[in-house]
Coordinates of all heavy atoms in Angstrom, one line a residue:
M1 N 18.5 -6.6 35.3 CA 18.9 -5.4 36.0 C 17.8 -5.1 37.1 O 16.6 -5.2 36.8 CB 19.1 -4.3 35.1 CG 19.7 -3.1 35.7 SD 20.2 -1.7 34.6 CE 21.5 -2.5 33.7
S2 N 18.2 -4.7 38.2 CA 17.3 -4.5 39.3 C 16.5 -3.2 39.1 O 17.0 -2.3 38.3 CB 18.0 -4.4 40.6 OG 18.8 -3.2 40.7
D3 N 15.4 -3.1 39.7 CA 14.6 -1.8 39.7 C 15.4 -0.6 40.2 O 15.3 0.5 39.6 CB 13.3 -2.0 40.5 CG 12.3 -2.9 39.8 OD1 12.5 -3.2 38.6 OD2 11.4 -3.3 40.4
A4 N 16.2 -0.8 41.2 CA 17.0 0.2 41.8 C 18.1 0.7 40.8 O 18.3 1.9 40.6 CB 17.7 -0.2 43.1
A5 N 18.7 -0.2 40.1 CA 19.7 0.1 39.1 C 19.1 0.9 37.9 O 19.6 1.9 37.4 CB 20.4 -1.1 38.6
L6 N 17.9 0.4 37.5 CA 17.2 1.1 36.4 C 16.8 2.6 36.8 O 16.9 3.5 36.1 CB 16.0 0.3 36.0 CG 16.3 -1.0 35.3 CD1 15.0 -1.8 35.1 CD2 17.0 -0.7 34.0
A7 N 16.3 2.7 38.1 CA 15.9 4.0 38.6 C 17.1 4.9 38.7 O 17.0 6.1 38.4 CB 15.3 3.8 40.0
R8 N 18.3 4.4 39.0 CA 19.5 5.2 39.1 C 19.9 5.7 37.7 O 20.3 6.9 37.6 CB 20.6 4.4 39.8 CG 21.9 5.2 40.0 CD 22.9 4.4 40.8 NE 24.2 5.1 40.8 CZ 24.5 6.1 41.6 NH1 23.7 6.6 42.5 NH2 25.7 6.7 41.5
K9 N 19.9 4.8 36.7 CA 20.2 5.3 35.4 C 19.2 6.4 34.9 O 19.7 7.4 34.3 CB 20.1 4.1 34.4 CG 21.2 3.1 34.5 CD 21.0 1.9 33.6 CE 22.1 0.9 33.7 NZ 23.3 1.3 33.0
E10 N 18.0 6.2 35.2 CA 17.0 7.2 34.8 C 17.3 8.5 35.5 O 17.2 9.6 34.9 CB 15.6 6.7 35.1 CG 14.5 7.7 34.7 CD 13.1 7.1 34.9 OE1 12.9 5.9 35.0 OE2 12.2 7.9 35.0
E11 N 17.6 8.5 36.8 CA 17.9 9.7 37.6 C 19.1 10.4 37.0 O 19.1 11.6 36.9 CB 18.1 9.3 39.1 CG 18.4 10.5 40.0 CD 18.7 10.1 41.4 OE1 18.6 8.9 41.7 OE2 19.1 11.0 42.2
C12 N 20.1 9.6 36.6 CA 21.3 10.2 36.1 C 21.0 10.9 34.7 O 21.4 12.1 34.5 CB 22.4 9.1 35.8 SG 23.9 9.8 35.2
R13 N 20.2 10.3 33.9 CA 19.8 10.9 32.6 C 19.1 12.2 32.8 O 19.3 13.2 32.2 CB 19.0 10.0 31.8 CG 19.8 8.8 31.3 CD 19.0 8.0 30.2 NE 17.8 7.4 30.8 CZ 17.7 6.1 31.2 NH1 18.7 5.3 31.2 NH2 16.5 5.6 31.6
H14 N 18.1 12.2 33.8 CA 17.4 13.4 34.1 C 18.3 14.5 34.6 O 18.2 15.7 34.2 CB 16.3 13.2 35.1 CG 15.1 12.5 34.5 ND1 14.1 13.1 33.8 CD2 14.7 11.2 34.6 CE1 13.2 12.3 33.4 NE2 13.5 11.1 33.9
A15 N 19.2 14.2 35.5 CA 20.2 15.1 36.0 C 21.1 15.7 34.9 O 21.4 16.9 34.9 CB 21.0 14.5 37.1
V16 N 21.6 14.8 34.0 CA 22.4 15.3 32.9 C 21.7 16.3 32.0 O 22.2 17.3 31.7 CB 23.0 14.1 32.1 CG1 23.6 14.6 30.8 CG2 23.9 13.3 32.9
L17 N 20.5 15.9 31.7 CA 19.7 16.8 30.8 C 19.4 18.1 31.5 O 19.5 19.2 30.9 CB 18.4 16.1 30.3 CG 17.6 16.9 29.3 CD1 18.4 17.3 28.1 CD2 16.3 16.2 29.0
A18 N 19.0 18.1 32.7 CA 18.8 19.3 33.5 C 20.0 20.2 33.5 O 19.9 21.4 33.3 CB 18.3 19.0 34.9
F19 N 21.2 19.6 33.7 CA 22.4 20.3 33.8 C 22.7 21.0 32.4 O 23.0 22.2 32.3 CB 23.6 19.4 34.1 CG 24.9 20.1 34.1 CD1 25.4 20.7 35.2 CD2 25.7 20.1 33.0 CE1 26.6 21.3 35.2 CE2 26.9 20.7 32.9 CZ 27.4 21.3 34.1
L20 N 22.5 20.3 31.3 CA 22.7 20.8 30.0 C 21.7 21.9 29.6 O 22.1 22.9 29.0 CB 22.7 19.7 29.0 CG 23.9 18.7 29.1 CD1 23.7 17.6 28.0 CD2 25.2 19.3 28.9
V21 N 20.5 21.7 30.0 CA 19.4 22.7 29.7 C 19.7 24.0 30.5 O 19.4 25.1 29.9 CB 18.0 22.1 30.0 CG1 17.0 23.2 30.0 CG2 17.7 21.0 29.0
D22 N 20.1 23.9 31.7 CA 20.4 25.1 32.5 C 21.6 25.9 32.0 O 21.8 27.0 32.3 CB 20.7 24.7 33.9 CG 19.4 24.3 34.7 OD1 18.3 24.5 34.1 OD2 19.5 23.7 35.7
R23 N 22.4 25.3 31.1 CA 23.6 25.9 30.5 C 23.6 25.7 29.0 O 24.6 25.1 28.5 CB 24.9 25.3 31.2 CG 24.9 25.5 32.7 CD 25.7 24.4 33.4 NE 25.6 24.5 34.8 CZ 24.6 24.1 35.6 NH1 23.6 23.4 35.0 NH2 24.6 24.2 36.9
P24 N 22.7 26.2 28.3 CA 22.5 25.9 26.9 C 23.5 26.5 25.9 O 23.7 26.0 24.8 CB 21.1 26.4 26.5 CG 20.9 27.5 27.5 CD 21.6 27.1 28.7
V25 N 24.2 27.5 26.3 CA 25.1 28.2 25.4 C 26.5 27.6 25.4 O 27.2 27.7 24.4 CB 25.2 29.7 25.9 CG1 26.2 30.5 25.0 CG2 23.9 30.4 25.9
V26 N 26.9 26.9 26.4 CA 28.2 26.3 26.5 C 28.1 24.8 26.3 O 27.2 24.1 26.8 CB 28.8 26.7 27.8 CG1 30.2 26.1 27.9 CG2 28.8 28.2 28.0
S27 N 29.1 24.2 25.7 CA 29.2 22.7 25.6 C 30.1 22.3 26.8 O 31.0 23.0 27.2 CB 29.7 22.2 24.3 OG 30.9 22.8 24.0
H28 N 29.8 21.0 27.3 CA 30.5 20.6 28.5 C 31.1 19.2 28.3 O 30.4 18.3 27.6 CB 29.5 20.5 29.7 CG 28.8 21.8 29.9 ND1 29.3 22.7 30.7 CD2 27.6 22.2 29.4 CE1 28.5 23.8 30.7 NE2 27.4 23.5 30.0
S29 N 32.2 18.9 28.9 CA 32.8 17.5 28.9 C 32.0 16.7 29.9 O 31.3 17.2 30.7 CB 34.3 17.6 29.3 OG 34.4 17.9 30.6
V30 N 32.2 15.4 29.7 CA 31.5 14.4 30.7 C 32.0 14.7 32.1 O 31.2 14.7 33.0 CB 31.8 13.0 30.2 CG1 31.3 12.0 31.3 CG2 31.0 12.7 28.9
A31 N 33.3 15.0 32.3 CA 33.8 15.2 33.6 C 33.1 16.5 34.2 O 32.8 16.5 35.4 CB 35.3 15.4 33.5
A32 N 33.0 17.5 33.4 CA 32.3 18.8 33.9 C 30.9 18.5 34.2 O 30.4 19.1 35.3 CB 32.5 19.9 32.9
I33 N 30.2 17.7 33.4 CA 28.8 17.4 33.7 C 28.7 16.7 35.0 O 27.8 17.0 35.9 CB 28.2 16.6 32.5 CG1 28.1 17.5 31.3 CG2 26.8 16.1 32.9 CD1 27.8 16.7 30.0
R34 N 29.5 15.7 35.2 CA 29.5 14.9 36.4 C 29.8 15.7 37.6 O 29.0 15.7 38.6 CB 30.5 13.7 36.4 CG 30.5 12.8 37.6 CD 31.7 11.9 37.7 NE 33.0 12.6 37.6 CZ 33.6 13.2 38.6 NH1 33.0 13.3 39.8 NH2 34.7 13.8 38.5
R35 N 30.8 16.6 37.6 CA 31.1 17.5 38.7 C 29.9 18.4 39.0 O 29.5 18.6 40.1 CB 32.3 18.3 38.4 CG 33.6 17.6 38.6 CD 34.8 18.6 38.6 NE 34.8 19.4 37.4 CZ 35.4 19.1 36.3 NH1 36.0 17.9 36.1 NH2 35.4 20.0 35.3
G36 N 29.2 18.9 37.9 CA 28.1 19.8 38.1 C 26.9 19.1 38.8 O 26.3 19.7 39.7
I37 N 26.5 17.9 38.3 CA 25.4 17.3 38.8 C 25.7 16.7 40.2 O 24.8 16.7 41.1 CB 24.8 16.2 37.9 CG1 25.8 15.1 37.6 CG2 24.3 16.8 36.6 CD1 25.2 13.9 36.7
N38 N 26.9 16.4 40.5 CA 27.2 15.9 41.8 C 27.3 17.1 42.8 O 26.9 16.9 44.0 CB 28.5 15.1 41.8 CG 28.4 13.7 41.2 OD1 27.3 13.3 41.0 ND2 29.5 13.1 41.0
R39 N 27.7 18.2 42.4 CA 27.7 19.4 43.2 C 26.2 19.8 43.6 O 26.0 20.4 44.7 CB 28.3 20.6 42.4 CG 28.6 21.8 43.2 CD 29.4 22.9 42.5 NE 29.1 23.0 41.1 CZ 30.0 22.7 40.1 NH1 31.2 22.3 40.5 NH2 29.7 22.9 38.9
E40 N 25.3 19.4 42.8 CA 23.9 19.7 43.0 C 23.2 18.6 43.8 O 21.9 18.6 43.8 CB 23.2 20.0 41.7 CG 23.7 21.3 41.0 CD 23.1 21.5 39.7 OE1 22.2 20.8 39.3 OE2 23.6 22.4 39.0
G41 N 24.0 17.7 44.3 CA 23.4 16.6 45.1 C 23.4 15.2 44.6 O 23.0 14.3 45.2
G42 N 23.9 15.0 43.4 CA 24.0 13.7 42.8 C 25.2 13.0 43.3 O 26.0 13.5 44.1
D43 N 25.3 11.7 43.0 CA 26.5 10.9 43.4 C 26.9 10.0 42.3 O 27.1 8.8 42.5 CB 26.3 10.2 44.7 CG 25.2 9.1 44.6 OD1 24.4 9.2 43.7 OD2 25.2 8.2 45.5
F44 N 26.9 10.5 41.1 CA 27.1 9.6 39.9 C 28.6 9.5 39.5 O 29.4 10.5 39.7 CB 26.3 10.2 38.7 CG 24.9 10.2 39.0 CD1 24.2 11.4 39.3 CD2 24.1 9.1 39.1 CE1 22.9 11.5 39.6 CE2 22.8 9.1 39.4 CZ 22.1 10.3 39.6
T45 N 29.0 8.4 39.0 CA 30.3 8.2 38.5 C 30.5 8.7 37.1 O 29.5 9.0 36.4 CB 30.7 6.7 38.5 OG1 29.9 6.0 37.6 CG2 30.5 6.1 39.9
E46 N 31.7 8.8 36.6 CA 31.9 9.3 35.2 C 31.4 8.3 34.2 O 30.7 8.7 33.3 CB 33.4 9.6 35.0 CG 33.6 10.4 33.8 CD 34.9 11.2 33.8 OE1 35.2 11.7 34.8 OE2 35.5 11.3 32.7
P47 N 31.5 7.0 34.4 CA 30.9 6.0 33.5 C 29.4 6.2 33.4 O 28.8 6.1 32.3 CB 31.4 4.7 33.9 CG 32.6 4.9 34.7 CD 32.5 6.3 35.3
E48 N 28.8 6.3 34.6 CA 27.3 6.5 34.6 C 26.9 7.8 33.8 O 25.9 7.8 33.1 CB 26.8 6.6 36.0 CG 26.8 5.3 36.8 CD 26.4 5.5 38.2 OE1 26.9 6.5 38.9 OE2 25.6 4.7 38.7
T49 N 27.6 8.8 34.1 CA 27.4 10.1 33.4 C 27.5 10.0 31.9 O 26.7 10.4 31.1 CB 28.2 11.2 34.0 OG1 28.1 11.3 35.4 CG2 27.9 12.6 33.4
R50 N 28.6 9.3 31.5 CA 28.9 9.1 30.0 C 27.8 8.3 29.4 O 27.3 8.7 28.3 CB 30.2 8.4 29.8 CG 30.6 8.2 28.3 CD 32.0 7.6 28.2 NE 33.0 8.3 28.9 CZ 33.5 9.5 28.5 NH1 33.1 10.1 27.4 NH2 34.5 10.1 29.2
E51 N 27.3 7.3 30.1 CA 26.2 6.5 29.5 C 25.0 7.3 29.4 O 24.3 7.2 28.4 CB 26.0 5.3 30.5 CG 25.0 4.3 30.0 CD 24.8 3.2 31.0 OE1 25.8 2.5 31.2 OE2 23.7 3.0 31.5
G52 N 24.7 8.1 30.4 CA 23.5 9.0 30.3 C 23.6 10.0 29.2 O 22.6 10.2 28.4
V53 N 24.7 10.6 29.0 CA 24.9 11.6 27.9 C 24.8 10.9 26.6 O 24.1 11.4 25.7 CB 26.3 12.3 28.1 CG1 26.7 13.0 26.8 CG2 26.4 13.1 29.3
E54 N 25.4 9.7 26.4 CA 25.3 9.0 25.1 C 23.9 8.6 24.8 O 23.5 8.7 23.6 CB 26.3 7.9 25.1 CG 27.7 8.3 25.1 CD 28.7 7.2 25.3 OE1 28.3 6.0 25.4 OE2 29.9 7.5 25.2
L55 N 23.1 8.2 25.8 CA 21.7 7.9 25.5 C 21.0 9.2 25.1 O 20.2 9.1 24.1 CB 21.1 7.3 26.7 CG 19.6 6.9 26.5 CD1 19.5 5.7 25.5 CD2 18.9 6.7 27.8
L56 N 21.2 10.3 25.7 CA 20.5 11.5 25.4 C 20.9 12.0 24.0 O 20.1 12.5 23.2 CB 20.9 12.6 26.4 CG 20.3 12.4 27.8 CD1 20.9 13.5 28.7 CD2 18.8 12.4 27.8
V57 N 22.2 11.7 23.6 CA 22.6 12.0 22.2 C 21.8 11.1 21.2 O 21.3 11.6 20.2 CB 24.1 11.9 22.0 CG1 24.5 11.9 20.5 CG2 24.8 13.0 22.8
G58 N 21.7 9.9 21.6 CA 21.0 8.9 20.7 C 19.5 9.3 20.6 O 18.9 9.0 19.5
L59 N 18.9 9.9 21.6 CA 17.5 10.3 21.6 C 17.4 11.7 21.0 O 16.3 12.2 20.9 CB 17.0 10.3 23.0 CG 16.8 8.9 23.6 CD1 16.4 9.1 25.1 CD2 15.8 8.1 22.9
T60 N 18.5 12.3 20.5 CA 18.5 13.7 20.0 C 18.1 14.8 21.0 O 17.7 15.8 20.6 CB 17.7 13.9 18.7 OG1 16.3 13.8 18.9 CG2 18.1 12.8 17.6
L61 N 18.2 14.5 22.3 CA 18.0 15.5 23.3 C 19.2 16.2 23.7 O 19.2 17.3 24.3 CB 17.4 14.8 24.5 CG 16.1 14.1 24.3 CD1 15.7 13.3 25.6 CD2 15.0 15.0 23.8
A62 N 20.4 15.7 23.2 CA 21.7 16.4 23.4 C 22.5 16.1 22.2 O 22.2 15.2 21.4 CB 22.4 15.8 24.6
K63 N 23.5 17.0 22.0 CA 24.4 16.8 20.8 C 25.8 16.7 21.2 O 26.2 17.3 22.2 CB 24.1 17.8 19.7 CG 24.5 19.2 20.2 CD 24.2 20.2 19.1 CE 24.5 21.7 19.5 NZ 24.2 22.6 18.5
D64 N 26.6 16.0 20.4 CA 28.0 15.8 20.6 C 28.7 17.0 19.8 O 28.5 17.2 18.7 CB 28.4 14.5 20.0 CG 29.8 14.1 20.2 OD1 30.6 15.0 20.6 OD2 30.2 12.9 20.0
V65 N 29.6 17.7 20.5 CA 30.3 18.8 19.9 C 31.8 18.5 20.1 O 32.4 18.9 21.1 CB 29.9 20.2 20.6 CG1 30.6 21.3 19.9 CG2 28.4 20.4 20.7
P66 N 32.4 17.9 19.1 CA 33.8 17.5 19.2 C 34.7 18.8 19.2 O 34.4 19.8 18.6 CB 34.1 16.6 18.0 CG 33.0 16.8 17.1 CD 31.8 17.4 17.8
D67 N 35.8 18.7 20.0 CA 36.8 19.7 20.0 C 37.6 19.6 18.7 O 38.2 18.6 18.4 CB 37.7 19.5 21.2 CG 38.8 20.6 21.4 OD1 39.0 21.4 20.4 OD2 39.5 20.6 22.4
P68 N 37.6 20.7 17.9 CA 38.3 20.6 16.6 C 39.9 20.5 16.8 O 40.5 20.1 15.8 CB 38.0 21.9 15.9 CG 37.5 22.8 17.0 CD 37.0 22.0 18.1
L69 N 40.4 20.8 17.9 CA 41.8 20.8 18.2 C 42.3 19.6 19.1 O 43.4 19.5 19.5 CB 42.3 22.1 18.8 CG 42.1 23.3 17.9 CD1 42.5 24.6 18.6 CD2 42.7 23.2 16.5
G70 N 41.3 18.8 19.5 CA 41.7 17.7 20.4 C 40.7 16.5 20.3 O 39.9 16.5 19.4
S71 N 40.8 15.7 21.3 CA 40.0 14.5 21.2 C 38.8 14.5 22.3 O 38.0 13.6 22.3 CB 40.8 13.2 21.5 OG 41.4 13.3 22.7
T72 N 38.8 15.6 23.1 CA 37.7 15.7 24.1 C 36.4 15.9 23.4 O 36.3 16.7 22.5 CB 38.0 16.8 25.1 OG1 39.3 16.6 25.7 CG2 37.0 16.9 26.2
R73 N 35.4 15.2 23.9 CA 34.0 15.4 23.4 C 33.3 16.3 24.3 O 33.3 16.1 25.5 CB 33.4 14.1 23.1 CG 34.3 13.2 22.3 CD 33.7 12.2 21.4 NE 32.9 12.5 20.4 CZ 33.2 12.8 19.1 NH1 34.5 12.9 18.8 NH2 32.3 12.9 18.2
Y74 N 32.5 17.2 23.8 CA 31.7 18.1 24.6 C 30.2 17.9 24.2 O 30.0 17.4 23.1 CB 32.1 19.5 24.4 CG 33.5 19.8 24.9 CD1 34.6 19.7 24.0 CD2 33.8 20.2 26.2 CE1 35.9 19.9 24.5 CE2 35.0 20.4 26.7 CZ 36.1 20.2 25.8 OH 37.4 20.4 26.3
Y75 N 29.3 18.3 25.1 CA 27.9 18.0 24.9 C 27.1 19.3 25.2 O 27.4 20.0 26.1 CB 27.5 16.8 25.7 CG 28.2 15.6 25.4 CD1 29.4 15.3 26.0 CD2 27.8 14.8 24.3 CE1 30.1 14.2 25.7 CE2 28.6 13.6 24.0 CZ 29.7 13.3 24.7 OH 30.4 12.2 24.3
Q76 N 26.0 19.4 24.5 CA 25.0 20.5 24.7 C 23.6 19.9 24.5 O 23.4 19.0 23.8 CB 25.2 21.6 23.6 CG 26.2 22.6 23.8 CD 26.2 23.6 22.7 OE1 26.4 23.3 21.5 NE2 26.0 24.9 23.1
A77 N 22.7 20.6 25.2 CA 21.3 20.2 25.0 C 20.8 20.7 23.6 O 21.3 21.8 23.2 CB 20.4 20.8 26.1
T78 N 20.0 19.9 22.9 CA 19.4 20.4 21.7 C 18.1 21.1 22.0 O 17.6 21.1 23.1 CB 19.1 19.2 20.8 OG1 18.2 18.4 21.4 CG2 20.4 18.4 20.4
S79 N 17.5 21.7 21.0 CA 16.2 22.4 21.1 C 15.2 21.3 21.6 O 14.4 21.6 22.5 CB 15.8 23.0 19.8 OG 16.7 24.0 19.4
A80 N 15.3 20.1 21.0 CA 14.3 19.1 21.5 C 14.5 18.7 22.9 O 13.6 18.5 23.6 CB 14.5 17.8 20.6
G81 N 15.8 18.7 23.4 CA 16.1 18.4 24.8 C 15.6 19.5 25.7 O 15.0 19.2 26.8
V82 N 15.7 20.7 25.3 CA 15.2 21.8 26.1 C 13.7 21.8 26.2 O 13.1 21.8 27.3 CB 15.6 23.2 25.5 CG1 14.9 24.4 26.2 CG2 17.1 23.4 25.6
L83 N 13.0 21.5 25.1 CA 11.5 21.4 25.1 C 11.1 20.2 26.0 O 10.1 20.4 26.8 CB 11.0 21.3 23.7 CG 11.0 22.6 22.9 CD1 10.5 22.4 21.5 CD2 10.1 23.7 23.6
A84 N 11.7 19.1 25.8 CA 11.4 17.9 26.5 C 11.5 18.1 28.0 O 10.7 17.8 28.8 CB 12.2 16.7 26.1
H85 N 12.6 18.8 28.4 CA 12.9 19.1 29.8 C 11.8 20.0 30.4 O 11.3 19.8 31.5 CB 14.3 19.6 30.0 CG 14.6 20.0 31.4 ND1 14.8 19.0 32.4 CD2 14.7 21.1 32.0 CE1 15.1 19.6 33.5 NE2 15.0 20.9 33.4
E86 N 11.5 21.1 29.6 CA 10.6 22.1 30.1 C 9.2 21.5 30.2 O 8.4 21.9 31.0 CB 10.6 23.3 29.1 CG 11.8 24.2 29.2 CD 11.8 25.3 28.2 OE1 10.9 25.3 27.3 OE2 12.7 26.1 28.3
R87 N 8.9 20.6 29.3 CA 7.5 20.0 29.3 C 7.4 18.8 30.3 O 6.4 18.1 30.4 CB 7.1 19.6 27.9 CG 7.0 20.8 27.0 CD 6.7 20.4 25.6 NE 6.5 21.6 24.8 CZ 6.5 21.6 23.5 NH1 6.7 20.4 22.8 NH2 6.3 22.7 22.8
G88 N 8.6 18.4 30.9 CA 8.6 17.3 31.8 C 8.5 16.0 31.2 O 8.1 15.0 31.7
R89 N 8.9 15.9 29.9 CA 8.8 14.7 29.1 C 10.2 13.9 29.0 O 10.3 12.9 28.4 CB 8.3 14.9 27.7 CG 6.9 15.4 27.7 CD 6.4 15.6 26.3 NE 5.1 16.2 26.4 CZ 4.5 16.9 25.4 NH1 5.2 17.1 24.3 NH2 3.4 17.5 25.6
A90 N 11.2 14.5 29.7 CA 12.5 13.8 29.7 C 13.1 14.0 31.0 O 12.8 14.8 31.8 CB 13.3 14.4 28.6

């Protein structure tokens, strides 16, 4: 994978975490996260955003909050994600 592709993935992960940290009380779908980060100047696709969110979940910086009445998955920053973002470590 090229350095540019790796940098884009990293940029997407940072944007996703920043979006979730700025809105800690509400959980968001991948589509809502993508729209939010793109409204703030990003240009990420839904698959890129999903990949970024799933990595953050795997790192315990975000959590998966399934809809009890449907199949849509929602995501929120965890306490570890908030601290990592505030400390500039994620």
